Short mmCIF file of all heavy atoms in Angstrom, two decimals:
data_model
loop_
_atom_site.label_atom_id
_atom_site.label_comp_id
_atom_site.label_asym_id
_atom_site.label_seq_id
_atom_site.Cartn_x
_atom_site.Cartn_y
_atom_site.Cartn_z
N ASP A 644 -14.01 -17.74 11.34
CA ASP A 644 -14.15 -16.33 11.63
C ASP A 644 -12.81 -15.65 11.36
O ASP A 644 -11.73 -16.21 11.57
CB ASP A 644 -14.53 -16.10 13.06
CG ASP A 644 -16.03 -16.17 13.21
OD1 ASP A 644 -16.75 -16.12 12.22
OD2 ASP A 644 -16.47 -16.27 14.38
N ILE A 645 -12.90 -14.36 11.02
CA ILE A 645 -11.71 -13.54 10.81
C ILE A 645 -11.25 -12.98 12.15
O ILE A 645 -12.06 -12.58 12.99
CB ILE A 645 -12.06 -12.31 9.88
CG1 ILE A 645 -12.50 -12.89 8.53
CG2 ILE A 645 -10.93 -11.39 9.77
CD1 ILE A 645 -12.98 -11.86 7.59
N PRO A 646 -9.93 -13.04 12.39
CA PRO A 646 -9.50 -12.50 13.68
C PRO A 646 -9.76 -10.96 13.70
O PRO A 646 -9.63 -10.31 12.71
CB PRO A 646 -7.97 -12.79 13.65
CG PRO A 646 -7.64 -13.04 12.23
CD PRO A 646 -8.86 -13.51 11.57
N THR A 647 -10.09 -10.48 14.89
CA THR A 647 -10.31 -9.06 15.08
C THR A 647 -9.02 -8.31 15.15
O THR A 647 -8.15 -8.70 15.88
CB THR A 647 -11.16 -8.83 16.37
OG1 THR A 647 -12.35 -9.56 16.23
CG2 THR A 647 -11.43 -7.37 16.55
N VAL A 648 -8.91 -7.32 14.31
CA VAL A 648 -7.75 -6.44 14.36
C VAL A 648 -8.20 -5.11 14.96
O VAL A 648 -8.98 -4.40 14.40
CB VAL A 648 -7.22 -6.19 12.91
CG1 VAL A 648 -6.04 -5.26 13.00
CG2 VAL A 648 -6.85 -7.52 12.29
N GLY A 649 -7.67 -4.80 16.15
CA GLY A 649 -8.14 -3.62 16.82
C GLY A 649 -9.41 -3.90 17.58
O GLY A 649 -9.95 -4.95 17.60
N GLU A 650 -9.94 -2.82 18.20
CA GLU A 650 -11.16 -3.00 18.99
C GLU A 650 -12.29 -2.17 18.54
O GLU A 650 -13.42 -2.28 19.09
CB GLU A 650 -10.86 -2.72 20.48
CG GLU A 650 -9.79 -3.64 21.05
CD GLU A 650 -9.50 -3.26 22.48
OE1 GLU A 650 -10.17 -2.37 23.08
OE2 GLU A 650 -8.55 -3.84 23.01
N ALA A 651 -12.16 -1.33 17.58
CA ALA A 651 -13.20 -0.34 17.21
C ALA A 651 -14.29 -1.04 16.40
O ALA A 651 -14.04 -1.91 15.57
CB ALA A 651 -12.59 0.78 16.39
N SER A 652 -15.51 -0.69 16.65
CA SER A 652 -16.64 -1.02 15.87
C SER A 652 -17.31 0.30 15.39
O SER A 652 -17.31 1.26 16.10
CB SER A 652 -17.69 -1.81 16.65
OG SER A 652 -17.25 -3.11 16.87
N VAL A 653 -17.77 0.25 14.21
CA VAL A 653 -18.35 1.44 13.64
C VAL A 653 -19.78 1.08 13.19
O VAL A 653 -20.02 0.09 12.57
CB VAL A 653 -17.53 1.92 12.41
CG1 VAL A 653 -18.19 3.11 11.79
CG2 VAL A 653 -16.13 2.16 12.78
N ARG A 654 -20.72 1.96 13.54
CA ARG A 654 -22.10 1.73 13.09
C ARG A 654 -22.13 2.11 11.60
O ARG A 654 -21.83 3.24 11.22
CB ARG A 654 -23.07 2.60 13.85
CG ARG A 654 -24.51 2.27 13.63
CD ARG A 654 -25.45 2.98 14.59
NE ARG A 654 -25.09 2.73 15.96
CZ ARG A 654 -25.55 1.66 16.69
NH1 ARG A 654 -26.30 0.79 16.10
NH2 ARG A 654 -25.20 1.54 17.95
N VAL A 655 -22.56 1.18 10.76
CA VAL A 655 -22.58 1.40 9.35
C VAL A 655 -23.94 1.84 8.86
O VAL A 655 -24.91 1.14 9.10
CB VAL A 655 -22.19 0.08 8.60
CG1 VAL A 655 -22.16 0.27 7.10
CG2 VAL A 655 -20.81 -0.38 9.06
N ARG A 656 -24.00 3.00 8.25
CA ARG A 656 -25.30 3.53 7.71
C ARG A 656 -25.70 2.62 6.56
O ARG A 656 -24.90 2.21 5.77
CB ARG A 656 -25.09 4.96 7.25
CG ARG A 656 -26.38 5.58 6.83
CD ARG A 656 -26.23 7.00 6.53
NE ARG A 656 -25.32 7.16 5.39
CZ ARG A 656 -24.97 8.35 4.85
NH1 ARG A 656 -25.44 9.44 5.37
NH2 ARG A 656 -24.18 8.42 3.87
N GLY A 657 -26.95 2.31 6.52
CA GLY A 657 -27.48 1.46 5.44
C GLY A 657 -27.24 -0.02 5.68
O GLY A 657 -27.36 -0.83 4.80
N SER A 658 -26.94 -0.40 6.98
CA SER A 658 -26.75 -1.81 7.22
C SER A 658 -28.11 -2.51 7.12
O SER A 658 -29.16 -1.87 7.14
CB SER A 658 -26.14 -2.04 8.57
OG SER A 658 -26.98 -1.50 9.59
N ARG A 659 -28.09 -3.79 7.04
CA ARG A 659 -29.35 -4.57 6.76
C ARG A 659 -30.39 -4.40 7.82
O ARG A 659 -31.57 -4.35 7.57
CB ARG A 659 -29.02 -6.04 6.60
CG ARG A 659 -28.21 -6.25 5.39
CD ARG A 659 -27.84 -7.74 5.22
NE ARG A 659 -26.84 -7.80 4.19
CZ ARG A 659 -26.47 -8.92 3.68
NH1 ARG A 659 -26.94 -10.03 4.10
NH2 ARG A 659 -25.55 -8.92 2.74
N ARG A 660 -29.97 -4.32 9.11
CA ARG A 660 -30.90 -4.13 10.16
C ARG A 660 -30.54 -2.86 10.94
O ARG A 660 -29.36 -2.55 11.13
CB ARG A 660 -30.79 -5.32 11.16
CG ARG A 660 -31.38 -6.60 10.58
CD ARG A 660 -31.30 -7.71 11.58
NE ARG A 660 -29.97 -8.27 11.41
CZ ARG A 660 -29.36 -9.03 12.30
NH1 ARG A 660 -29.97 -9.35 13.42
NH2 ARG A 660 -28.18 -9.58 12.07
N ALA A 661 -31.55 -2.12 11.32
CA ALA A 661 -31.28 -0.86 12.06
C ALA A 661 -30.53 -1.18 13.35
O ALA A 661 -30.87 -2.13 14.06
CB ALA A 661 -32.61 -0.18 12.38
N GLY A 662 -29.53 -0.42 13.65
CA GLY A 662 -28.76 -0.58 14.83
C GLY A 662 -27.67 -1.66 14.75
O GLY A 662 -27.02 -1.90 15.71
N GLN A 663 -27.57 -2.33 13.67
CA GLN A 663 -26.55 -3.40 13.48
C GLN A 663 -25.17 -2.76 13.45
O GLN A 663 -24.93 -1.81 12.76
CB GLN A 663 -26.80 -4.16 12.19
CG GLN A 663 -25.80 -5.27 11.90
CD GLN A 663 -26.10 -5.91 10.56
OE1 GLN A 663 -26.95 -5.54 9.84
NE2 GLN A 663 -25.31 -6.99 10.32
N GLU A 664 -24.26 -3.36 14.25
CA GLU A 664 -22.89 -2.87 14.23
C GLU A 664 -22.05 -3.82 13.37
O GLU A 664 -22.21 -5.00 13.44
CB GLU A 664 -22.30 -2.73 15.60
CG GLU A 664 -23.04 -1.67 16.41
CD GLU A 664 -22.14 -1.06 17.46
OE1 GLU A 664 -20.97 -1.33 17.48
OE2 GLU A 664 -22.75 -0.33 18.26
N SER A 665 -21.15 -3.24 12.59
CA SER A 665 -20.27 -4.05 11.72
C SER A 665 -18.85 -3.52 11.91
O SER A 665 -18.63 -2.32 11.86
CB SER A 665 -20.73 -3.92 10.30
OG SER A 665 -19.86 -4.64 9.47
N ARG A 666 -17.93 -4.38 12.05
CA ARG A 666 -16.52 -4.04 12.18
C ARG A 666 -15.99 -3.68 10.80
O ARG A 666 -16.20 -4.39 9.83
CB ARG A 666 -15.70 -5.23 12.75
CG ARG A 666 -14.25 -5.10 12.75
CD ARG A 666 -13.80 -4.07 13.82
NE ARG A 666 -12.37 -4.20 13.98
CZ ARG A 666 -11.48 -3.48 13.36
NH1 ARG A 666 -11.84 -2.61 12.40
NH2 ARG A 666 -10.19 -3.63 13.61
N LEU A 667 -15.38 -2.50 10.70
CA LEU A 667 -14.76 -2.07 9.46
C LEU A 667 -13.27 -2.20 9.58
O LEU A 667 -12.68 -1.80 10.57
CB LEU A 667 -15.16 -0.64 9.14
CG LEU A 667 -16.64 -0.38 8.80
CD1 LEU A 667 -16.90 1.06 8.52
CD2 LEU A 667 -17.13 -1.26 7.66
N TYR A 668 -12.60 -2.77 8.58
CA TYR A 668 -11.16 -2.91 8.53
C TYR A 668 -10.57 -1.93 7.53
O TYR A 668 -11.08 -1.75 6.43
CB TYR A 668 -10.83 -4.36 8.09
CG TYR A 668 -11.16 -5.36 9.13
CD1 TYR A 668 -12.47 -5.89 9.20
CD2 TYR A 668 -10.23 -5.87 10.00
CE1 TYR A 668 -12.83 -6.85 10.15
CE2 TYR A 668 -10.54 -6.84 10.94
CZ TYR A 668 -11.87 -7.30 10.97
OH TYR A 668 -12.23 -8.24 11.94
N SER A 669 -9.45 -1.35 7.90
CA SER A 669 -8.73 -0.44 6.95
C SER A 669 -7.99 -1.24 5.90
O SER A 669 -7.82 -2.50 6.03
CB SER A 669 -7.70 0.38 7.73
OG SER A 669 -6.62 -0.42 8.19
N THR A 670 -7.54 -0.59 4.89
CA THR A 670 -6.74 -1.25 3.84
C THR A 670 -5.53 -1.93 4.42
O THR A 670 -5.21 -3.10 4.08
CB THR A 670 -6.31 -0.26 2.73
OG1 THR A 670 -7.49 0.32 2.16
CG2 THR A 670 -5.55 -0.96 1.60
N SER A 671 -4.85 -1.29 5.32
CA SER A 671 -3.63 -1.82 5.93
C SER A 671 -3.95 -3.08 6.78
O SER A 671 -3.22 -4.04 6.75
CB SER A 671 -2.96 -0.82 6.84
OG SER A 671 -2.48 0.27 6.07
N GLU A 672 -5.09 -3.03 7.51
CA GLU A 672 -5.48 -4.20 8.26
C GLU A 672 -5.81 -5.39 7.41
O GLU A 672 -5.41 -6.53 7.69
CB GLU A 672 -6.72 -3.86 9.15
CG GLU A 672 -6.36 -2.94 10.31
CD GLU A 672 -7.59 -2.44 11.04
OE1 GLU A 672 -8.61 -2.19 10.40
OE2 GLU A 672 -7.49 -2.29 12.28
N VAL A 673 -6.48 -5.15 6.28
CA VAL A 673 -6.85 -6.25 5.38
C VAL A 673 -5.53 -6.79 4.73
O VAL A 673 -5.37 -8.00 4.65
CB VAL A 673 -7.80 -5.77 4.28
CG1 VAL A 673 -8.02 -6.84 3.22
CG2 VAL A 673 -9.13 -5.37 4.92
N ALA A 674 -4.64 -5.92 4.37
CA ALA A 674 -3.33 -6.34 3.80
C ALA A 674 -2.60 -7.21 4.79
O ALA A 674 -2.07 -8.27 4.44
CB ALA A 674 -2.47 -5.13 3.42
N ASN A 675 -2.60 -6.84 6.07
CA ASN A 675 -1.92 -7.65 7.10
C ASN A 675 -2.60 -9.00 7.30
O ASN A 675 -1.91 -10.01 7.46
CB ASN A 675 -1.87 -6.88 8.43
CG ASN A 675 -0.89 -5.73 8.38
OD1 ASN A 675 0.10 -5.79 7.70
ND2 ASN A 675 -1.15 -4.72 9.21
N LEU A 676 -3.95 -9.00 7.29
CA LEU A 676 -4.67 -10.27 7.39
C LEU A 676 -4.29 -11.29 6.31
O LEU A 676 -4.18 -12.47 6.56
CB LEU A 676 -6.19 -10.06 7.36
CG LEU A 676 -6.82 -9.42 8.58
CD1 LEU A 676 -8.24 -9.04 8.30
CD2 LEU A 676 -6.76 -10.39 9.77
N PHE A 677 -4.10 -10.78 5.05
CA PHE A 677 -3.83 -11.66 3.95
C PHE A 677 -2.34 -11.78 3.66
O PHE A 677 -1.97 -12.53 2.78
CB PHE A 677 -4.57 -11.17 2.71
CG PHE A 677 -6.01 -11.47 2.74
CD1 PHE A 677 -6.96 -10.41 3.04
CD2 PHE A 677 -6.53 -12.74 2.44
CE1 PHE A 677 -8.33 -10.68 3.09
CE2 PHE A 677 -7.87 -12.95 2.51
CZ PHE A 677 -8.74 -11.98 2.81
N GLY A 678 -1.49 -11.01 4.38
CA GLY A 678 -0.07 -11.06 4.09
C GLY A 678 0.29 -10.46 2.73
O GLY A 678 1.17 -10.92 2.04
N ARG A 679 -0.48 -9.43 2.37
CA ARG A 679 -0.27 -8.76 1.09
C ARG A 679 0.01 -7.30 1.29
O ARG A 679 -0.08 -6.77 2.38
CB ARG A 679 -1.52 -8.88 0.19
CG ARG A 679 -1.97 -10.35 -0.11
CD ARG A 679 -0.96 -10.96 -1.05
NE ARG A 679 -1.38 -12.26 -1.52
CZ ARG A 679 -0.81 -13.42 -1.14
NH1 ARG A 679 0.14 -13.38 -0.31
NH2 ARG A 679 -1.28 -14.55 -1.59
N THR A 680 0.27 -6.56 0.19
CA THR A 680 0.54 -5.10 0.30
C THR A 680 -0.74 -4.34 0.12
O THR A 680 -1.75 -4.87 -0.39
CB THR A 680 1.55 -4.70 -0.80
OG1 THR A 680 0.95 -4.88 -2.05
CG2 THR A 680 2.83 -5.46 -0.65
N ASN A 681 -0.70 -3.07 0.52
CA ASN A 681 -1.85 -2.20 0.33
C ASN A 681 -2.19 -2.11 -1.19
O ASN A 681 -3.32 -2.01 -1.54
CB ASN A 681 -1.62 -0.78 0.88
CG ASN A 681 -1.61 -0.77 2.37
OD1 ASN A 681 -1.90 -1.74 3.04
ND2 ASN A 681 -1.29 0.41 2.92
N ARG A 682 -1.17 -2.09 -2.02
CA ARG A 682 -1.38 -2.00 -3.47
C ARG A 682 -2.17 -3.22 -3.96
O ARG A 682 -3.06 -3.12 -4.85
CB ARG A 682 -0.02 -1.91 -4.15
CG ARG A 682 -0.13 -1.83 -5.66
CD ARG A 682 -0.73 -0.53 -6.16
NE ARG A 682 -1.52 -0.78 -7.31
CZ ARG A 682 -2.64 -0.17 -7.63
NH1 ARG A 682 -3.16 0.76 -6.86
NH2 ARG A 682 -3.31 -0.45 -8.72
N THR A 683 -1.85 -4.39 -3.44
CA THR A 683 -2.62 -5.60 -3.85
C THR A 683 -4.07 -5.49 -3.47
O THR A 683 -4.97 -5.84 -4.25
CB THR A 683 -2.01 -6.84 -3.20
OG1 THR A 683 -0.64 -7.02 -3.67
CG2 THR A 683 -2.79 -8.07 -3.51
N ILE A 684 -4.33 -4.90 -2.27
CA ILE A 684 -5.76 -4.74 -1.82
C ILE A 684 -6.43 -3.80 -2.78
O ILE A 684 -7.61 -4.03 -3.17
CB ILE A 684 -5.77 -4.30 -0.37
CG1 ILE A 684 -5.08 -5.25 0.56
CG2 ILE A 684 -7.25 -4.04 0.05
CD1 ILE A 684 -5.50 -6.70 0.46
N ARG A 685 -5.78 -2.72 -3.17
CA ARG A 685 -6.38 -1.77 -4.14
C ARG A 685 -6.64 -2.45 -5.49
O ARG A 685 -7.64 -2.19 -6.14
CB ARG A 685 -5.53 -0.53 -4.28
CG ARG A 685 -5.55 0.33 -3.05
CD ARG A 685 -4.90 1.73 -3.28
NE ARG A 685 -3.49 1.65 -3.66
CZ ARG A 685 -2.50 1.62 -2.79
NH1 ARG A 685 -2.70 1.67 -1.49
NH2 ARG A 685 -1.21 1.55 -3.21
N THR A 686 -5.76 -3.33 -5.89
CA THR A 686 -5.97 -4.07 -7.12
C THR A 686 -7.20 -4.99 -6.98
O THR A 686 -7.99 -5.12 -7.91
CB THR A 686 -4.75 -4.95 -7.47
OG1 THR A 686 -3.63 -4.05 -7.66
CG2 THR A 686 -4.93 -5.79 -8.69
N TRP A 687 -7.30 -5.66 -5.79
CA TRP A 687 -8.50 -6.48 -5.55
C TRP A 687 -9.80 -5.72 -5.66
O TRP A 687 -10.79 -6.23 -6.18
CB TRP A 687 -8.38 -7.20 -4.27
CG TRP A 687 -7.31 -8.27 -4.22
CD1 TRP A 687 -6.52 -8.70 -5.23
CD2 TRP A 687 -6.93 -9.05 -3.10
NE1 TRP A 687 -5.68 -9.71 -4.78
CE2 TRP A 687 -5.91 -9.90 -3.49
CE3 TRP A 687 -7.38 -9.10 -1.76
CZ2 TRP A 687 -5.30 -10.84 -2.58
CZ3 TRP A 687 -6.75 -9.97 -0.88
CH2 TRP A 687 -5.74 -10.86 -1.32
N ILE A 688 -9.77 -4.46 -5.21
CA ILE A 688 -10.94 -3.60 -5.35
C ILE A 688 -11.26 -3.40 -6.81
O ILE A 688 -12.41 -3.57 -7.26
CB ILE A 688 -10.74 -2.23 -4.65
CG1 ILE A 688 -10.58 -2.42 -3.13
CG2 ILE A 688 -11.89 -1.28 -4.96
CD1 ILE A 688 -10.08 -1.13 -2.43
N GLN A 689 -10.22 -3.04 -7.61
CA GLN A 689 -10.44 -2.79 -9.02
C GLN A 689 -10.95 -4.04 -9.74
O GLN A 689 -11.73 -3.93 -10.69
CB GLN A 689 -9.15 -2.31 -9.69
CG GLN A 689 -8.75 -0.98 -9.20
CD GLN A 689 -7.34 -0.55 -9.69
OE1 GLN A 689 -6.57 -1.40 -10.15
NE2 GLN A 689 -7.00 0.72 -9.54
N GLN A 690 -10.49 -5.22 -9.31
CA GLN A 690 -10.92 -6.45 -9.92
C GLN A 690 -12.23 -7.01 -9.41
O GLN A 690 -12.75 -7.98 -9.92
CB GLN A 690 -9.82 -7.54 -9.76
CG GLN A 690 -8.53 -7.18 -10.48
CD GLN A 690 -7.40 -8.17 -10.19
OE1 GLN A 690 -7.43 -8.91 -9.17
NE2 GLN A 690 -6.36 -8.15 -11.01
N GLY A 691 -12.78 -6.32 -8.42
CA GLY A 691 -14.09 -6.71 -7.89
C GLY A 691 -14.05 -7.77 -6.80
O GLY A 691 -15.11 -8.28 -6.43
N TYR A 692 -12.89 -8.12 -6.31
CA TYR A 692 -12.85 -9.13 -5.23
C TYR A 692 -13.28 -8.58 -3.91
O TYR A 692 -13.82 -9.37 -3.07
CB TYR A 692 -11.41 -9.67 -5.03
CG TYR A 692 -10.92 -10.45 -6.26
CD1 TYR A 692 -9.80 -10.01 -6.98
CD2 TYR A 692 -11.56 -11.58 -6.70
CE1 TYR A 692 -9.29 -10.71 -8.05
CE2 TYR A 692 -11.12 -12.28 -7.77
CZ TYR A 692 -9.98 -11.88 -8.44
OH TYR A 692 -9.53 -12.58 -9.53
N LEU A 693 -13.09 -7.32 -3.66
CA LEU A 693 -13.52 -6.64 -2.42
C LEU A 693 -14.33 -5.43 -2.74
O LEU A 693 -14.03 -4.67 -3.71
CB LEU A 693 -12.32 -6.18 -1.60
CG LEU A 693 -11.61 -7.25 -0.79
CD1 LEU A 693 -10.28 -6.74 -0.27
CD2 LEU A 693 -12.47 -7.74 0.33
N ARG A 694 -15.36 -5.17 -1.95
CA ARG A 694 -16.20 -3.91 -2.10
C ARG A 694 -15.87 -2.98 -0.95
O ARG A 694 -16.09 -3.37 0.20
CB ARG A 694 -17.69 -4.29 -2.04
CG ARG A 694 -18.16 -5.03 -3.25
CD ARG A 694 -19.65 -5.30 -3.17
NE ARG A 694 -19.96 -5.96 -1.90
CZ ARG A 694 -21.14 -6.25 -1.51
NH1 ARG A 694 -22.20 -6.01 -2.21
NH2 ARG A 694 -21.32 -6.90 -0.35
N PRO A 695 -15.32 -1.82 -1.26
CA PRO A 695 -14.95 -0.92 -0.21
C PRO A 695 -16.16 -0.11 0.33
O PRO A 695 -17.16 0.03 -0.38
CB PRO A 695 -13.97 0.04 -0.86
CG PRO A 695 -14.39 0.03 -2.31
CD PRO A 695 -14.94 -1.35 -2.58
N VAL A 696 -16.03 0.33 1.56
CA VAL A 696 -16.95 1.28 2.15
C VAL A 696 -16.13 2.54 2.24
O VAL A 696 -15.11 2.58 2.94
CB VAL A 696 -17.40 0.80 3.58
CG1 VAL A 696 -18.25 1.90 4.24
CG2 VAL A 696 -18.15 -0.50 3.51
N ARG A 697 -16.55 3.61 1.56
CA ARG A 697 -15.81 4.84 1.58
C ARG A 697 -16.46 5.85 2.56
O ARG A 697 -17.69 6.07 2.52
CB ARG A 697 -15.74 5.44 0.17
CG ARG A 697 -15.05 4.54 -0.79
CD ARG A 697 -14.91 5.17 -2.14
NE ARG A 697 -14.48 4.17 -3.17
CZ ARG A 697 -13.24 3.78 -3.38
NH1 ARG A 697 -12.26 4.34 -2.67
NH2 ARG A 697 -12.98 2.90 -4.33
N ILE A 698 -15.61 6.34 3.47
CA ILE A 698 -16.03 7.36 4.39
C ILE A 698 -15.12 8.56 4.20
O ILE A 698 -13.93 8.49 4.54
CB ILE A 698 -15.97 6.88 5.88
CG1 ILE A 698 -16.88 5.64 6.00
CG2 ILE A 698 -16.37 8.00 6.81
CD1 ILE A 698 -16.82 4.99 7.39
N GLY A 699 -15.68 9.57 3.50
CA GLY A 699 -14.77 10.65 3.07
C GLY A 699 -13.76 10.08 2.03
O GLY A 699 -14.11 9.44 1.11
N ARG A 700 -12.47 10.33 2.32
CA ARG A 700 -11.43 9.80 1.41
C ARG A 700 -10.90 8.48 1.94
O ARG A 700 -10.00 7.87 1.33
CB ARG A 700 -10.32 10.83 1.29
CG ARG A 700 -10.75 12.12 0.58
CD ARG A 700 -9.69 13.08 0.45
NE ARG A 700 -8.57 12.50 -0.33
CZ ARG A 700 -7.51 13.17 -0.77
NH1 ARG A 700 -7.49 14.47 -0.59
NH2 ARG A 700 -6.60 12.56 -1.35
N SER A 701 -11.37 8.03 3.07
CA SER A 701 -10.88 6.80 3.67
C SER A 701 -11.63 5.57 3.09
O SER A 701 -12.78 5.67 2.75
CB SER A 701 -11.08 6.81 5.20
OG SER A 701 -10.33 7.87 5.72
N VAL A 702 -10.92 4.47 3.02
CA VAL A 702 -11.47 3.24 2.46
C VAL A 702 -11.47 2.16 3.53
O VAL A 702 -10.40 1.95 4.16
CB VAL A 702 -10.67 2.76 1.22
CG1 VAL A 702 -11.22 1.45 0.71
CG2 VAL A 702 -10.70 3.83 0.16
N PHE A 703 -12.60 1.49 3.76
CA PHE A 703 -12.71 0.44 4.73
C PHE A 703 -13.39 -0.76 4.09
O PHE A 703 -13.96 -0.65 3.03
CB PHE A 703 -13.52 0.91 5.95
CG PHE A 703 -12.89 2.04 6.64
CD1 PHE A 703 -13.27 3.39 6.37
CD2 PHE A 703 -11.90 1.87 7.61
CE1 PHE A 703 -12.76 4.44 7.03
CE2 PHE A 703 -11.35 2.95 8.26
CZ PHE A 703 -11.74 4.22 7.98
N PHE A 704 -13.36 -1.86 4.82
CA PHE A 704 -13.99 -3.12 4.32
C PHE A 704 -14.78 -3.75 5.42
O PHE A 704 -14.32 -3.81 6.59
CB PHE A 704 -12.93 -4.07 3.82
CG PHE A 704 -12.05 -3.48 2.74
CD1 PHE A 704 -10.87 -2.85 3.13
CD2 PHE A 704 -12.40 -3.48 1.43
CE1 PHE A 704 -10.07 -2.20 2.17
CE2 PHE A 704 -11.66 -2.91 0.47
CZ PHE A 704 -10.43 -2.28 0.85
N ARG A 705 -15.99 -4.23 5.12
CA ARG A 705 -16.79 -4.99 6.12
C ARG A 705 -16.18 -6.31 6.39
O ARG A 705 -15.73 -7.01 5.43
CB ARG A 705 -18.20 -5.11 5.58
CG ARG A 705 -19.01 -3.82 5.56
CD ARG A 705 -20.43 -4.10 5.08
NE ARG A 705 -21.14 -2.84 5.02
CZ ARG A 705 -21.28 -2.11 3.91
NH1 ARG A 705 -20.71 -2.45 2.82
NH2 ARG A 705 -21.92 -0.95 3.96
N ALA A 706 -16.33 -6.76 7.60
CA ALA A 706 -15.79 -8.08 7.99
C ALA A 706 -16.49 -9.18 7.13
O ALA A 706 -15.86 -10.15 6.73
CB ALA A 706 -16.04 -8.35 9.46
N SER A 707 -17.79 -9.01 6.82
CA SER A 707 -18.51 -9.99 6.03
C SER A 707 -17.95 -10.13 4.61
O SER A 707 -17.92 -11.17 4.05
CB SER A 707 -20.04 -9.66 6.00
OG SER A 707 -20.20 -8.37 5.44
N ASP A 708 -17.51 -9.01 4.05
CA ASP A 708 -16.91 -9.02 2.69
C ASP A 708 -15.53 -9.72 2.69
O ASP A 708 -15.20 -10.47 1.80
CB ASP A 708 -16.79 -7.60 2.11
CG ASP A 708 -18.15 -7.01 1.79
OD1 ASP A 708 -19.13 -7.79 1.51
OD2 ASP A 708 -18.24 -5.76 1.77
N ILE A 709 -14.81 -9.51 3.80
CA ILE A 709 -13.53 -10.15 3.94
C ILE A 709 -13.69 -11.63 4.10
O ILE A 709 -13.03 -12.49 3.46
CB ILE A 709 -12.72 -9.57 5.07
CG1 ILE A 709 -12.40 -8.13 4.85
CG2 ILE A 709 -11.42 -10.38 5.31
CD1 ILE A 709 -11.93 -7.35 6.05
N GLN A 710 -14.68 -12.03 4.90
CA GLN A 710 -15.00 -13.47 5.15
C GLN A 710 -15.44 -14.13 3.84
O GLN A 710 -15.04 -15.27 3.54
CB GLN A 710 -16.08 -13.62 6.22
CG GLN A 710 -16.32 -15.07 6.61
CD GLN A 710 -15.12 -15.67 7.28
OE1 GLN A 710 -14.57 -15.08 8.21
NE2 GLN A 710 -14.65 -16.81 6.82
N ARG A 711 -16.19 -13.42 3.04
CA ARG A 711 -16.67 -13.96 1.73
C ARG A 711 -15.43 -14.22 0.87
O ARG A 711 -15.35 -15.28 0.20
CB ARG A 711 -17.58 -12.93 1.04
CG ARG A 711 -18.10 -13.38 -0.30
CD ARG A 711 -19.05 -12.36 -0.89
NE ARG A 711 -18.60 -10.99 -0.79
CZ ARG A 711 -17.78 -10.37 -1.63
NH1 ARG A 711 -17.24 -11.06 -2.60
NH2 ARG A 711 -17.45 -9.14 -1.46
N LEU A 712 -14.43 -13.37 0.88
CA LEU A 712 -13.25 -13.56 0.07
C LEU A 712 -12.47 -14.77 0.59
O LEU A 712 -11.93 -15.62 -0.15
CB LEU A 712 -12.37 -12.28 0.11
CG LEU A 712 -11.10 -12.30 -0.69
CD1 LEU A 712 -11.42 -12.52 -2.18
CD2 LEU A 712 -10.30 -11.06 -0.48
N VAL A 713 -12.36 -14.90 1.94
CA VAL A 713 -11.67 -16.05 2.55
C VAL A 713 -12.37 -17.36 2.14
O VAL A 713 -11.71 -18.30 1.80
CB VAL A 713 -11.60 -15.89 4.05
CG1 VAL A 713 -11.16 -17.21 4.76
CG2 VAL A 713 -10.72 -14.75 4.48
N ASP A 714 -13.71 -17.32 2.16
CA ASP A 714 -14.48 -18.52 1.87
C ASP A 714 -14.45 -18.86 0.38
O ASP A 714 -14.86 -19.94 -0.02
CB ASP A 714 -15.92 -18.39 2.36
CG ASP A 714 -15.99 -18.32 3.84
OD1 ASP A 714 -15.07 -18.77 4.55
OD2 ASP A 714 -17.06 -17.86 4.36
N GLY A 715 -14.08 -17.89 -0.46
CA GLY A 715 -14.07 -18.12 -1.88
C GLY A 715 -15.41 -17.98 -2.56
O GLY A 715 -15.64 -18.47 -3.69
N SER A 716 -16.35 -17.33 -1.88
CA SER A 716 -17.70 -17.14 -2.41
C SER A 716 -17.69 -16.06 -3.40
O SER A 716 -17.05 -15.08 -3.34
CB SER A 716 -18.67 -16.78 -1.32
OG SER A 716 -18.62 -17.76 -0.28
#
């Protein structure tokens, strides 16, 4: 499992099950988890390693997508 960074949970519209809550991580949180820079995380988005969830101009990542990257899937 990925360590939880912060305590906020956000209800994600379009989640697989109605009412399902999913933790969203910011670019900075993901960079800290991997020991990388924000620029590297943006590069990973461009290369297709991570799929962002955009809310307005903000970019977030689902915990399941981060776990998939950790697992190498």
Side-chain angles (χ1 to χ4, degrees):
D644 275 345
I645 296 173
T647 301
V648 178
E650 298 178 7
S652 286
V653 178
R654 191 172 304 275
V655 179
R656 185 172 64 179
S658 61
R659 293 179 192 190
R660 288 181 275 164
Q663 177 182 5
E664 292 207 12
S665 178
R666 171 73 167 91
L667 295 178
Y668 292 83
S669 70
T670 302
S671 295
E672 290 173 322
V673 174
N675 287 333
L676 285 172
F677 286 101
R679 301 291 187 251
T680 64
N681 288 355
R682 179 69 214 144
T683 298
I684 302 307
R685 289 191 299 271
T686 299
W687 289 357
I688 294 169
Q689 292 171 347
Q690 294 174 343
Y692 294 120
L693 281 170
R694 290 183 305 177
V696 175
R697 298 184 192 277
I698 300 175
R700 294 181 58 169
S701 300
V702 176
F703 299 96
F704 304 92
R705 289 183 182 91
S707 59
D708 290 335
I709 297 167
Q710 188 65 50
R711 182 178 43 81
L712 183 61
V713 169
D714 294 340
S716 305

